[in-house]
Amino acid sequence: MLDIKNYIGGEFRPSTDGATLEDFNPATAECIANIPRSKASDVDLAVVAAHSAQAEWGARTLAERADWLVRIADALEAKHEHIAQTESMDTGKPISLARRVDASRSVRNFRFFAEFGREQSDVTFEMDDAMNYVHRSPVGTVGLITPWNLPLYLLTWKVAPALLMGNTVVAKPSEITPLTANILAETLDEIGLPAGVFNVVHGLGPEVGQAILEAPGIKGISFTGGTSTGRIVAKTAAPMFKKLSLELGGKNATIILKDADLEAAVNGAVRAAFTNSGQVCLCGSRILVDASIAEEFTQLFVAEVERINIGNPADADTVMGSVISPEHLEKVESYIKLGIDEGGIVLTGGTREMTGYHGPDGVGAFLRPTVFSGLDYTSRCATEEIFGPMVTLHTFDNEDEAIHMANHSEYGLAGSIWTTDLERGRKVAARMETGIVWVNTWLHRDLRTPFGGVKNSGVGREGGTWSMEFFSEMTNVCIKHPNPTS
Ligand code: TXE
């Protein structure tokens, strides 16, 4: 049983009132850690610590801070397996995924921003009689609030640019996946990052998360999580004129055009649908197929889904582990029942009662991947974010109909298009109301590109210059050229 503490001002300490929460391994249902149930008083301590470190950290050069990011990457890389094992235990995701995605990308986030930061040149604007340059300074102390699906991956995606640009950090990971944020704190402490630059306060969203939103000393909020929580974040932080970045939910379409390479499209659609048990905001949870190939695609797709090796996340050949919690499993099952009520046909999977599957050892939040056909694209199952191992199949007769169906969503985060005609792919991509479109691939990421969505998928973008812009304030300095006659 791990006894996790907050990390404030370079010290590991309990919450001010000593309250704690339990953290569970969703695959075994075992309690694996106690964490602080922090409140506003803990946030106040973290803000004081951050403010005391701000001036010195912000005064360092970008190159010096980039050097720190490289040190952090090296130190995390040395803990790659420990990070992967811990993340798998905390989330129920397969160890293979935790190694390949979560641990590797957490290291890469720091390495990328160190290199990218160094490459940036000054922004200048020449006039006939003057020159302008943009001076960047830190925002100050920023609040980073992150979700449970990719805990360290998404936290480091924010911490790296925040530190690079000279900010100090108050981080709040999800209360149900706190462990790898603690590994980050331990690592930063071990390599001697100045006290107060990075702080972690654990606890419940409506308590310590809300306190971060309300803290006057926190000048910017970078949030990744559900759309409903995103509304609360915006409502609280916007009137305080805090800088705000919101990466929210998604209900992404995978569009299979009739000229698609069917084998690639099937494999891509399965990967997009069920990676991380469908618990990635970028997952392709609606699959739109040209009617002329729907029968063949559906047979191949269902057969591939049924080959997914679901089981013990600790086994190297497991492809799908548990979902994040019993509560989330119930939520996904409620959508399976709703889909049946809405007239859908379960092509594979179903509730635990329907499949008789309760996990490799009969415990834990395991659910077989479920595929529905026969549901209208306007049905609740096809429009609401389920965020679990359940997808719906729909057919279209032409491109316009496919695009209309794909855009029929309150979300607008991502989508993928499968076609052998790349010009056609570009045309369809241009009409997608999303922030990200992949053509003949999925989750293929260049970290320099803008990441984020529109509509209820959020506001703002992360990645490359977009992260650097968010985590800095710009001052334009205009210098008049000396008068030529003087
Ligand atoms: O989100 P929640 P979850 C989305 C994904 C899904 C959700 C799942 O689509 O909807 O995240 O993650 C804290 N004040 N994305 O369930 O509940 C909470 O403690 C302040 C999109 O964790 O919104 C947690 O730390 N904080 C994303 C964090 O908010 C509060 C990629 C998120 O919790 C709070 C990944 C409050 N009142 C997941 N209430 C993308 N678009 O990139 C909760 N929290």
Side-chain angles (χ1 to χ4, degrees), residues 6-8 38 43 46-47 50 141-146 155-156 158-159 168-174 181-182 184-185 188 197-203 208-209 212 218 222:
N6 288 335
Y7 181 64
I8 298 174
S38 308
V43 172
V47 170
T141 299
V142 293
L144 311 181
I145 301 177
T146 45
L155 175 59
T156 54
K158 299 176 189 295
V159 172
T168 50
V169 166
V170 176
K172 197 218 77 76
S174 174
N182 186 62
L184 178 60
L188 300 181
V197 170
F198 177 82
N199 306 277
V200 181
V201 285
H202 293 280
V208 71
I212 289 172
I218 290 181
S222 181

Side-chain angles (χ1 to χ4, degrees), residues 145-149 154 172-175 203-206 209-210 213 223-227 229 232-233 247-250 281 385 387 413 451 457:
I145 301 177
T146 45
W148 49 253
N149 59 326
L154 288 171
K172 197 218 77 76
S174 174
E175 54 277 25
L204 298 174
Q210 189 72 26
L213 303 180
F223 172 82
T224 296
T227 294
T229 311
I232 296 171
V233 175
E247 294 290 352
L248 307 178
C281 56
E385 181 184 53
F387 210 61
L413 183 56
F451 180 94
S457 290

Side-chain angles (χ1 to χ4, degrees), residues 33-34 42 60 109 134 146 164 168 208 225 244 294 322 339 351 384 423 434 444 451 453 465-466 485-486:
N34 280 313
D42 301 290
R60 294 184 188 216
N109 284 338
V134 177
T146 45
L164 177 73
T168 50
V208 71
L244 205 44
S322 74
T351 64
E384 294 176 18
E423 197 41 45
T434 59
H444 192 39
F451 180 94
T465 49
W466 290 272
T485 55
S486 60

Side-chain angles (χ1 to χ4, degrees), residues 17 28 33 50 89 118 145 159 163 172 177 180 189-190 236 240-241 275 294 302 346 355 360 396 415 474:
D17 65 5
T28 64
M89 185 173 65
R118 286 194 181 115
I145 301 177
V159 172
L163 296 184
K172 197 218 77 76
T177 55
T180 47
D189 192 59
E190 287 157 11
T236 309
M240 299 174 80
F241 299 111
T275 294
V302 169
V346 176
T355 63
F396 58 83
M474 292 179 277

Side-chain angles (χ1 to χ4, degrees), residues 44 130 345 388:
D44 295 345
I345 300 157

Side-chain angles (χ1 to χ4, degrees), residues 7 34 46 55 76-77 80 82 100 117 145 206 241 250 286 305 319 343 379 391 399 418 428 446 472 476:
Y7 181 64
N34 280 313
L76 287 177
E77 197 154 50
H80 187 278
H82 176 47
R100 187 178 74 249
I145 301 177
F241 299 111
R286 299 181 286 149
V305 171
V319 171
S379 65
V391 298
E399 222 164 84
W418 299 80
V428 175
D446 179 329
S472 59
N476 185 68

Side-chain angles (χ1 to χ4, degrees), residues 51-68:
H51 284 192
S52 66
Q54 181 60 55
E56 194 277 336
W57 181 250
R60 294 184 188 216
T61 65
L62 192 136
E64 286 169 341
R65 295 192 295 258
D67 291 345
W68 267 105

